[in-house]
Amino acid sequence: MITLRLPWPPTVNTYWRHPNKGPLAGRHLISEDGRSYRAAVHGDVLQQLRREPKIEGRIAVAISANPPDRRQRDLDNLLKGVLDAMTHAHVWIDDSQIDDLRIVRDEVMPGGRLIVTVREVEGA
């Protein structure tokens, strides 16, 4: 089992860019905020685990979300950014390995934080 403390992710609205002109028109790209978040998660994974774990089997992921303030937020909007960042950080091969995904809202914490627990489960 792996437990990580990760920064609060950018909103789903700022994580992606959708250019409508030029050579990248029509593509979905990760924004500068999204790329910065992915880099921060990768650094946190290496700092906390001292390695890239690269789990290969089926997994369960539990997330405890400490929002940065009391504004209303949809918890499901947190998932894409953090799961993609963890894939980029080589916690697992691909987030399609996730068979069990849970998220709970916890107490407000200035700056926000996620506690992410990953464990391997028996194959499907």
Side-chain angles (χ1 to χ4, degrees):
M1 183 166 59
I2 296 170
T3 300
L4 298 163
R5 293 176 191 265
L6 300 177
W8 190 259
T11 68
V12 97
N13 295 332
T14 61
Y15 190 83
W16 299 102
R17 290 184 26 218
H18 307 286
N20 56 11
K21 295 183 204 174
L24 300 177
R27 296 187 61 196
H28 300 288
L29 307 172
I30 297 175
S31 69
E32 185 175 333
D33 284 348
R35 290 190 306 274
S36 294
Y37 183 74
R38 282 190 346 174
V41 167
H42 194 192
D44 286 351
V45 167
L46 290 175
Q47 181 179 14
Q48 293 173 49
L49 300 179
R50 306 272 186 233
R51 63 186 169 84
E52 293 177 338
K54 199 83 154 204
I55 299 169
E56 295 182 6
R58 308 307 301 170
I59 53 179
V61 177
I63 300 172
S64 176
N66 297 99
D69 54 45
R70 297 200 181 280
R71 286 186 296 162
Q72 286 188 330
R73 290 182 165 81
D74 295 342
L75 286 179
D76 61 327
N77 285 342
L78 297 177
L79 295 173
K80 187 64 175 163
V82 72
L83 297 179
D84 283 353
M86 291 180 70
T87 299
H88 182 75
H90 307 290
V91 173
W92 48 65
I93 296 167
D94 186 74
D95 54 8
S96 66
Q97 293 170 249
I98 300 170
D99 287 338
D100 183 349
L101 178 60
R102 300 162 194 244
I103 185 167
V104 273
R105 187 184 327 265
D106 212 333
E107 297 176 8
V108 169
M109 174 178 284
R113 174 184 77 179
L114 301 177
I115 303 294
V116 182
T117 303
V118 181
R119 66 180 174 81
E120 289 193 72
V121 297
E122 291 296 317

